[in-house]
Amino acid sequence: MSFKQGAESIKEKISVGFLYHTNKTRLKLEPLTGEIGFERSIKDKNIHRPGLALAGYVQLFRYDRVQVCGNTEMRYLSQIDPKHREEMLRTIFKFKVPCLIITNNNEVDELFIQIAREQGVAIFKTPFETTKLVYFLSDFLDDQFAPQTAIHGSFVDVYGIGLLLVGRSGIGKSEIALDLVERGHRLVADDIVMVTRKGEGILMGSGTDLVKHFMEIRGLGLIDVRSMFGIRAIRFQKRVEVVVELMDWDANADYTRTGLDEEGISILDVQVLGIKLPIFPGKNVTVICEVIALNYLLKHYGYDAAKEFAKRLEAVISEKSKQIGERRVDYFEHDFE
Amino acid sequence: MIEQEVIIKNRAGMHTRPAAVLVKTAAKFKSDFYIYKDGMEINGKSIIGVMTLAAEQGSKLILRFDGADEQDAANEVIDLFSRGFDE
């Protein structure tokens, strides 16, 4: 199964200013050096603790990462000889460090800030303890540097299952999404679905900031699903679990008849369930989409209808070989209702 | 497959009207039509897709046509860009 996927893109860098402005409240960041160094870029999603570099070992100093100084670093600095300390600070700030965050509201003296200023490095202070800060900051940086792709399709949460409808332009993806919304399901995005790989093997889909919950219906133009159907009809993001490819009915194509031969589809190197759905006039695709979601849920809870049926069939066949003259239904109870 | 870089000429950029003209033009042809800008590739036959790019004056787009009538599609669409959507 294959459909057109947009180019994969990964953000190459973010600026320190962007990091500060998007996280100042969440991470309680307090800038100690004004806006100095806000133009520097962060290119790595990992975080570095410069303990060893401050102790003088700079050979493997990952200066290009966001630096986090916790209690260890700050206490070490406060107890060494002042002259040595100044030398150490000058050494590490000579590297092109993107920025430095001091945790636990540790005291920072004038000299520290002055050296950072001279070298153009932004310094922030936060009341969070190091583990907590690293946890939140990693989450943010992971998200910023996650591989992303734009997929042409409609994305709906159907009974809690993220259903991504794809297919050629004009096949009716938006109309099906609208129909699903009418039946109480929730629209995530229409037309442009931004898919991001989170962690290992998880795909998250959402709309773009500009388009969020607007959709185009051919013949009508643009509509806003959120103001039309209300807050219950939308959601901002959802894990992508099933891809439904709508295709024009083709008598020669090979469609699954039992559901035993499941096909996967790869998006950003993550495998999800893919279903080829031929459509033709009179076919209620909306109901089929609901059934796809319900069937996926059943399988998730351990019941696979196709396998269950196959098992029954095998049982009947093996039973039959022992008997002579059988009927295909059990004996009717005597009520003839 | 035809690939061509174009520049948005009109002052208002690719706002609603030019976007509508563009998708209507592209929809006349059978060929697939994609637009690439800033690490994002969208379907050029979808109005929301085109508007998502929010392409301002002077921005560069890469157009890609693929299909039986790609030459005709490319000619007409590129002409539209070079005329600045008649604005």
Side-chain angles (χ1 to χ4, degrees):
Chain A
M1 179 164 167
S2 71
F3 69 97
K4 176 71 195 69
Q5 293 185 30
E8 178 178 336
S9 68
I10 298 176
K11 243 190 220 179
E12 277 174 10
K13 57 180 182 188
I14 58 170
S15 73
V16 171
F18 176 77
L19 173 84
Y20 169 66
H21 288 296
T22 39
N23 289 291
K24 57 182 169 192
T25 33
R26 202 167 65 105
L27 299 180
K28 298 185 182 150
L29 295 178
E30 180 196 334
L32 301 178
T33 45
E35 294 204 350
I36 285 173
F38 271 26
E39 74 297 337
R40 287 206 176 175
S41 27
I42 302 166
K43 293 177 180 160
D44 198 316
K45 64 175 183 177
N46 294 302
I47 294 166
H48 189 72
R49 291 195 63 181
L52 276 174
L54 286 168
Y57 182 72
V58 288
Q59 269 84 338
L60 293 175
F61 179 32
R62 291 305 305 261
Y63 60 88
D64 53 336
R65 295 176 176 169
V66 174
Q67 307 293 320
V68 175
C69 281
N71 290 343
T72 328
E73 286 84 358
M74 298 316 278
R75 268 181 220 160
Y76 170 75
L77 282 174
S78 67
Q79 54 90 49
I80 58 174
D81 171 55
K83 226 173 143 192
H84 180 51
R85 176 164 172 272
E86 184 177 341
E87 193 188 317
M88 262 15 291
L89 287 171
R90 288 198 188 280
T91 314
I92 69 153
F93 283 129
K94 264 202 196 102
F95 286 93
K96 197 139 174 83
V97 172
C99 65
L100 188 143
I101 301 172
I102 291 156
T103 59
N104 276 317
N105 263 340
N106 268 298
E107 275 311 308
V108 193
D109 63 39
E110 245 339 282
L111 185 71
F112 195 115
I113 292 168
Q114 191 200 319
I115 297 172
R117 272 216 177 102
E118 280 166 20
Q119 300 297 333
V121 180
I123 297 197
F124 304 103
K125 198 162 134 173
T126 172
F128 282 116
E129 51 190 79
T130 312
T131 36
K132 214 166 195 175
L133 177 92
V134 167
Y135 177 77
F136 285 132
L137 192 58
S138 291
D139 188 54
F140 171 76
L141 292 174
D142 263 348
D143 178 65
Q144 288 296 315
F145 292 109
Q148 210 173 43
T149 184
I151 290 177
H152 179 62
S154 296
F155 190 33
V156 190
D157 170 346
V158 183
Y159 297 124
I161 301 297
L163 217 71
L164 179 60
L165 300 157
V166 296
R168 68 164 171 80
S169 205
I171 202 162
K173 300 179 291 291
S174 301
E175 286 75 6
I176 295 163
L178 190 63
D179 212 11
L180 283 166
V181 164
E182 247 291 310
R183 295 172 67 103
H185 304 291
R186 299 163 78 189
L187 178 77
V188 187
D190 187 61
D191 222 86
I192 302 276
V193 184
M194 298 306 296
V195 176
T196 312
R197 189 175 74 211
K198 294 281 252 174
E200 288 309 307
I202 292 175
L203 293 174
M204 292 302 293
S206 71
T208 59
D209 291 340
L210 175 73
V211 180
K212 242 165 217 171
H213 309 120
F214 277 85
M215 59 160 62
E216 186 212 358
I217 299 293
R218 298 287 145 94
L220 283 185
L222 298 172
I223 60 163
D224 181 357
V225 172
R226 183 176 173 168
S227 30
M228 201 175 267
F229 296 96
I231 198 77
R232 67 166 181 91
I234 57 150
R235 63 179 291 168
F236 288 106
Q237 57 171 43
K238 177 80 191 86
R239 182 170 175 175
V240 180
E241 284 153 305
V242 186
V243 177
V244 179
E245 189 183 7
L246 303 169
M247 36 187 34
D248 298 294
W249 172 259
D250 175 2
N252 299 318
D254 185 26
Y255 305 111
T256 183
R257 303 299 295 268
T258 56
L260 287 169
D261 37 0
E262 254 180 15
E263 257 190 279
I265 183 163
S266 170
I267 300 174
L268 298 173
D269 294 326
V270 176
Q271 283 283 323
V272 288
L273 177 65
I275 290 171
K276 279 191 220 165
L277 195 61
I279 64 170
F280 43 81
K283 186 157 174 169
N284 192 336
V285 184
T286 312
V287 172
I288 296 174
C289 284
E290 288 183 331
V291 169
I292 288 170
L294 290 173
N295 207 29
Y296 184 88
L297 272 175
L298 272 179
K299 268 187 216 168
H300 188 76
Y301 283 92
Y303 183 89
D304 188 328
K307 280 189 190 143
E308 218 54 45
F309 193 93
K311 237 191 267 169
R312 260 197 226 186
L313 182 62
E314 276 161 36
V316 170
I317 290 173
S318 65
E319 197 65 14
K320 234 163 99 174
S321 55
K322 295 176 208 151
Q323 288 175 7
I324 329 144
E326 93 297 350
R327 293 174 69 187
R328 278 179 177 75
V329 284
D330 283 335
Y331 180 68
F332 287 111
E333 283 177 38
H334 200 91
D335 63 359
F336 301 117
E337 199 175 355
Chain B
M1 193 181 75
I2 300 173
E3 239 182 56
Q4 170 87 38
E5 189 182 272
V6 291
I7 292 174
I8 304 281
K9 286 188 171 167
N10 58 315
R11 246 188 45 180
M14 182 102 79
H15 61 95
T16 323
R17 195 199 69 87
V21 175
L22 178 66
V23 292
K24 271 190 197 160
T25 310
K28 286 196 289 185
F29 301 96
K30 280 223 161 82
S31 296
D32 289 334
F33 169 40
Y34 297 98
I35 309 177
Y36 182 87
K37 179 184 183 266
D38 300 334
M40 189 156 139
E41 192 173 54
I42 57 94
N43 190 321
K45 292 183 179 179
S46 122
I47 180 99
I48 289 190
V50 172
M51 291 194 297
T52 304
L53 297 176
E56 73 284 6
Q57 187 185 29
S59 55
K60 285 180 189 157
L61 312 177
I62 296 167
L63 312 181
R64 200 154 55 77
F65 303 88
D66 199 0
D69 52 1
E70 56 188 33
Q71 194 58 56
D72 297 332
N75 290 345
E76 209 163 312
V77 169
I78 291 165
D79 183 48
L80 205 57
F81 275 94
S82 57
R83 296 202 313 263
F85 306 103
D86 300 321
E87 287 199 335

